[in-house]
Amino acid sequence: MRELRIGDKVAKVPVIQGGMGVGVSRSSLAGAVAKAGGIGIISTAQIGYDEPDFLKNHCEANNRAIEKHVKLAKAQADGGLVGVNVMVALKDYEEHVRVAAKAGADVVICGAGLPVTLPGLLEGTDTKFAPIVSTEKALMVLFKMWDKKYNKTADFVVIEGPKAGGHLGFSVEQLSEDAAGSLDYDTEIRNIIARVRQQEEKYNKKIPVIVAGGIFDADDVAHVMSLGADGVQVASRFVATQECDADMRYKQAYVDAKEEDVRIIKSPVGMPGRAVQNVFLEEAESGKCKVERCLGCLAKCNPAEIPYCITDALIRAVQGDVEHGLIFCGANVGKITEITTVPEIMDDLKRGFMKGEND
């Protein structure tokens, strides 16, 4: 069974659990995945939503919650690796990265935008970092910027494909191509990996490449490993586990969802997103969702122009109001049929690595 080495940090199983906010992947889920040998990831997006002072001091509440959940997850992890996912689109993106590193996060993964300042934010720490990219072009832009400004490169790279959940780095047209089966994303993955291998030579270091988006079972794992990946990132499947931090009604919504219930939506973040159809999405499409308050969570957000408040919508969902909240999901949510456990999922994914080694 192969390991995942990121510098001097080693995960026994090359599986990263994807970050899911608001509150879906916090210390319980991340700690369980880390204990099972993978890398558990906490989403920092409005992570302090249930702190008593969140509405009045959301910045302080989020920072406090980041520190709390990183430490709780690491205490549970039994020596396993714990990290955070920080959205670049967040107003407090840089602060979240610094707080997580100070709390002891082993890795920081950043998406929903290009993390151009990330190497500088982690200067002097032992925290490893990765961007989430969906195209070779985006990765080359980042590599060029980091080369010039910091003389540094990524410790690892996460490639997120069009079947991922939440915010997507693709146009609606590209997502339609993928749904029609005409988007050749395997070629894009190979091209990105080739670029990373060039960067490895330049910096004389191993840069693992992790593939995400639509990774559900052992066959999916074996397939992306055949393309040259060093590991996988899995998110949606971990929602329907006993260890997931979300309300049980949220988990059950995943179990109940069918393939035809998945919708591509317009998010206030400014990117397309994939979510489960419900009353909330119907109201959002008809313009019935009012923005009653603004917590200033996004760097670029005008309450007068957005279709709904994404923070409020995600909080309602994770707390169990699954009809009036936003339920992000991956394209394969329809394959989830029961509430299971993290160890059971990890055991299934491990078979994919063994299958690839035996082929």
Side-chain angles (χ1 to χ4, degrees):
M1 181 68 194
R2 70 177 72 195
E3 299 175 325
L4 176 60
R5 292 183 174 271
I6 303 174
D8 59 352
K9 299 181 185 295
V10 181
K12 295 178 181 178
V13 185
V15 172
I16 298 177
Q17 160 252 312
M20 296 171 283
V22 168
V24 178
S25 64
R26 297 202 293 184
S27 52
S28 177
L29 178 57
V33 172
K35 186 175 182 179
I39 302 181
I41 300 295
I42 295 163
S43 169
T44 71
Q46 303 296 52
I47 186 174
Y49 74 93
D50 56 353
E51 293 288 310
D53 59 341
F54 176 71
L55 293 180
K56 293 183 178 180
N57 303 297
H58 64 276
C59 293
E60 294 177 18
N62 284 330
N63 288 342
R64 189 187 319 120
I66 291 169
E67 180 178 5
K68 177 176 74 175
H69 284 284
V70 168
K71 291 182 176 179
L72 284 172
K74 287 182 73 69
Q76 180 186 346
D78 193 24
L81 302 184
V82 172
V84 297
N85 176 292
V86 186
M87 292 172 53
V88 180
L90 294 176
K91 191 174 184 179
D92 297 324
Y93 146 69
E94 295 191 346
E95 180 73 3
H96 285 198
V97 171
R98 292 192 184 100
V99 171
K102 187 177 180 180
D106 293 297
V107 302
V108 171
I109 300 172
C110 294
L114 292 180
V116 295
T117 62
L118 187 54
L121 300 176
L122 294 171
E123 189 74 43
T125 76
D126 187 42
T127 302
K128 308 304 181 186
F129 64 91
I132 297 176
V133 296
S134 295
T135 65
E136 179 187 6
K137 180 179 179 181
L139 182 64
M140 293 311 298
V141 168
L142 266 183
F143 277 172
K144 185 175 182 180
M145 288 181 172
W146 289 349
D147 278 337
K148 185 176 181 180
K149 188 171 182 179
Y150 303 104
N151 193 31
K152 288 187 176 182
T153 195
D155 294 307
F156 61 113
V157 171
V158 178
I159 304 174
E160 191 168 87
K163 289 182 169 57
H167 296 110
L168 304 167
F170 298 86
S171 67
V172 174
E173 289 75 21
Q174 288 173 315
L175 295 173
S176 297
E177 287 180 41
D178 181 63
S182 57
L183 183 67
D184 180 15
Y185 199 66
D186 281 1
T187 296
E188 189 73 26
I189 291 173
R190 292 191 185 96
N191 291 341
I192 294 173
I193 291 175
R195 289 292 186 179
V196 174
R197 300 305 174 226
Q198 292 176 5
Q199 196 78 342
E200 287 180 332
E201 293 182 10
K202 180 174 183 177
Y203 279 86
N204 192 29
K205 64 180 284 189
K206 173 63 179 176
I207 305 173
V209 178
I210 312 302
V211 174
I215 310 298
F216 186 83
D217 57 21
D219 288 339
D220 297 324
V221 171
H223 174 69
V224 297
M225 298 303 286
S226 74
L227 300 177
D230 298 292
V232 297
Q233 178 174 289
V234 178
S236 293
R237 196 172 175 194
F238 283 114
V239 171
T241 60
Q242 294 175 11
E243 299 90 342
C244 178
D245 296 82
D247 185 276
M248 181 56 72
R249 288 167 290 185
Y250 189 100
K251 302 175 190 183
Q252 191 61 44
Y254 266 54
V255 174
D256 295 340
K258 307 302 180 187
E259 181 180 353
E260 57 268 25
D261 295 327
V262 179
R263 296 285 182 271
I264 300 299
I265 66 167
K266 179 181 179 181
S267 167
V269 170
M271 305 169 73
R274 180 175 277 115
V276 176
Q277 180 68 35
N278 60 3
V279 172
F280 169 75
L281 289 189
E282 294 174 1
E283 292 177 345
E285 291 170 2
S286 62
K288 294 181 180 180
C289 295
K290 295 181 180 180
V291 180
E292 299 177 350
R293 62 187 179 191
C294 180
L295 295 172
C297 60
L298 301 176
K300 298 179 181 180
C301 180
N302 184 344
E305 298 177 353
I306 58 174
Y308 53 87
C309 174
I310 192 167
T311 288
D312 283 343
L314 290 171
I315 290 175
R316 287 195 298 271
V318 78
Q319 291 181 323
D321 187 354
V322 294
E323 281 302 319
H324 301 96
L326 176 59
I327 306 174
F328 276 143
C329 67
N332 288 325
V333 68
K335 295 181 179 180
I336 297 173
T337 59
E338 62 179 347
I339 306 293
T340 182
T341 67
V342 165
E344 288 177 298
I345 292 175
M346 292 293 285
D347 285 343
D348 180 41
L349 297 174
K350 286 178 190 177
R351 286 191 282 272
F353 297 108
M354 292 184 285
K355 180 179 179 181
E357 291 172 354
N358 294 331
D359 286 347

